[in-house]
Amino acid sequence: MRVLHVAMEWFPFSKVGGMADVTGALPAVLGAAGIESRVLTPYYPQLYKGPVGRELAVFDVWVGSATRRVRLRAAPG
């Protein structure tokens, strides 16, 4: 089984509340049970000043009446 977690926070990259703790720990727990999982989260340059990973994809999404460019990057490491 493969699982994609989509969350606004992900420890240690962005943490405001308890959600970051869950999304930081859950993939490891699932991995120990043989379940492959990934986390998709926004990149907040104001919060995370470390290196960014390689670019995986670039696409445009509609936000209201405008489009915004989205860049998916792998986590560093």
Side-chain angles (χ1 to χ4, degrees):
M1 176 187 299
R2 294 168 50 181
V3 176
L4 176 64
H5 306 275
V6 180
M8 296 301 292
E9 303 175 29
W10 179 29
F11 181 81
F13 303 104
S14 58
K15 179 170 171 45
V16 177
M19 179 57 70
D21 298 323
V22 173
T23 56
L26 189 54
V29 172
L30 292 176
I35 299 170
E36 180 184 345
S37 66
R38 303 270 192 261
V39 178
L40 179 64
T41 187
Y43 169 66
Y44 301 107
Q46 307 90 327
L47 298 177
Y48 180 68
K49 300 295 186 187
V52 295
R54 67 180 169 78
E55 195 167 272
L56 302 174
V58 178
F59 53 92
D60 293 328
V61 296
W62 283 99
V63 180
S65 61
T67 59
R68 297 285 186 244
R69 172 86 12 121
V70 174
R71 297 179 184 279
L72 294 180
R73 294 186 179 272

